[in-house]
């Protein structure tokens, strides 16, 4: 009888040992799944009140302002006229650093080929173009991107001795009435 009780105790003890051993190892054999949700950086840049994300060109025209003088009416262009147009860039909701490039040239179909850029003023910083290069490039770091960028481009109709158009061509330009500039803006994310 002692042997039977002893045998039952041994079997019971072994069963308990096996149970506790498998329980402790089973903790490390479980698995689980999950998803990591991340916010994607916004590329929200507004130029003259239009979001560039879905537009390859501005649907509204860039209309220059000509102040006029004693000899020339306001908001028209004539030889020696001076004026400006504004490019307002709001990228305060962009989540990345970027650079922008503005390149301006006289359109090949413009009746006024003597349009010139006298200067750019970017947030009150004056930049004078050199060698008839009407292009500027700036970087905007995300950490510094806290305000709207205001760019004013000053233009004039060159009527100096070095101008390419003569008086006859100037007169024809008033008949054709299409002084055109191409304004190209490019935005590129910095990495």
């Amino acid at each position: 009888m002692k042997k039977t009780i002893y045998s039952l105790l041994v079997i019971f003890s072994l069963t308990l040992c096996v149970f506790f051993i498998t329980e402790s190892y089973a903790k490390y054999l479980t698995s689980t799944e999950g998803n990591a949700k991340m916010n994607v950086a916004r590329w929200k840049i507004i130029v003259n009140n239009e979001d560039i994300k879905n537009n390859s060109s501005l649907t509204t025209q860039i209309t220059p302002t000509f102040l006029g003088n004693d000899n020339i009416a306001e908001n028209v262009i004539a030889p020696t006229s001076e004026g400006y147009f504004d490019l307002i860039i709001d990228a305060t909701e962009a989540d990345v650093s970027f650079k922008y490039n503005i390149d301006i040239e006289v359109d090949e179909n413009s009746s006024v080929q003597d349009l010139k850029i006298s200067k750019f003023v970017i947030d009150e910083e004056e930049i004078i173009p050199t060698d008839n290069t009407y292009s500027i490039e700036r970087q905007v770091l995300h950490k510094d991107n806290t305000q709207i960028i205001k760019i004013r481009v000053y233009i004039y109709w060159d009527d100096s001795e070095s101008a390419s158009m003569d008086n006859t061509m100037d007169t024809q330009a008033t008949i054709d009435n299409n002084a055109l500039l191409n304004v190209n803006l490019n935005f590129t994310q910095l990495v």
Side-chain angles (χ1 to χ4, degrees):
M1 175 101 160
K2 278 185 169 182
K3 277 188 176 182
T4 310
I5 293 176
Y6 182 71
S7 296
L8 286 173
L9 278 173
V10 170
I11 292 173
F12 181 72
S13 297
L14 283 175
T15 305
L16 279 176
C17 284
V18 169
F19 175 75
F20 287 122
I21 290 172
T22 57
E23 274 296 307
S24 63
Y25 284 119
K27 290 181 189 175
Y28 303 106
L29 298 175
T30 59
S31 65
T32 187
E33 290 182 12
N35 292 322
K37 183 177 179 185
M38 294 160 266
N39 291 326
V40 177
R42 291 175 297 177
W43 182 248
K44 185 170 184 177
I45 300 174
I46 309 291
V47 176
N48 291 4
N49 296 319
E50 290 193 42
D51 192 338
I52 65 158
K53 185 177 6 177
N54 299 322
N55 296 328
S56 61
S57 63
L58 297 175
T59 57
T60 57
Q61 283 189 325
I62 299 170
T63 305
T65 299
F66 292 95
L67 300 176
N69 58 37
D70 291 341
N71 301 314
I72 302 170
E74 284 185 11
N75 295 319
V76 295
I77 189 167
T80 72
S81 290
E82 295 182 42
Y84 63 88
F85 62 88
D86 292 326
L87 298 171
I88 309 299
I89 301 171
D90 181 356
T92 56
E93 293 186 45
D95 291 330
V96 293
S97 298
F98 64 93
K99 72 177 176 180
Y100 65 87
N101 179 284
I102 300 171
D103 186 34
I104 303 172
E105 63 186 10
V106 177
D107 188 282
E108 64 183 32
N109 296 317
S110 177
S111 59
V112 181
Q113 290 296 310
D114 286 333
L115 294 172
K116 306 288 183 189
I117 306 297
S118 59
K119 64 184 172 181
F120 298 93
V121 177
I122 304 171
D123 295 329
E124 300 181 18
E125 174 193 350
E126 188 171 301
I127 301 162
I128 307 294
T130 57
D131 302 326
N132 291 329
T133 302
Y134 306 136
S135 181
I136 56 172
E137 182 174 285
R138 294 286 182 269
Q139 291 186 356
V140 178
L141 299 178
H142 177 259
K143 67 181 181 78
D144 300 328
N145 188 17
T146 58
Q147 63 186 15
I148 294 173
I149 302 164
K150 297 175 185 172
I151 303 170
R152 182 161 280 183
V153 181
Y154 288 87
I155 58 176
Y156 68 98
W157 183 335
D158 183 14
D159 196 37
S160 67
E161 294 295 321
S162 63
S164 64
M165 296 173 63
D166 60 20
N167 287 340
T168 304
M169 295 170 82
D170 289 348
T171 303
Q172 185 61 43
T174 63
I175 295 168
D176 294 341
N177 194 24
N178 67 338
L180 303 170
L181 285 175
N182 293 328
V183 180
N184 297 306
L185 291 92
N186 292 303
F187 296 89
T188 307
Q189 178 186 344
L190 296 176
V191 289

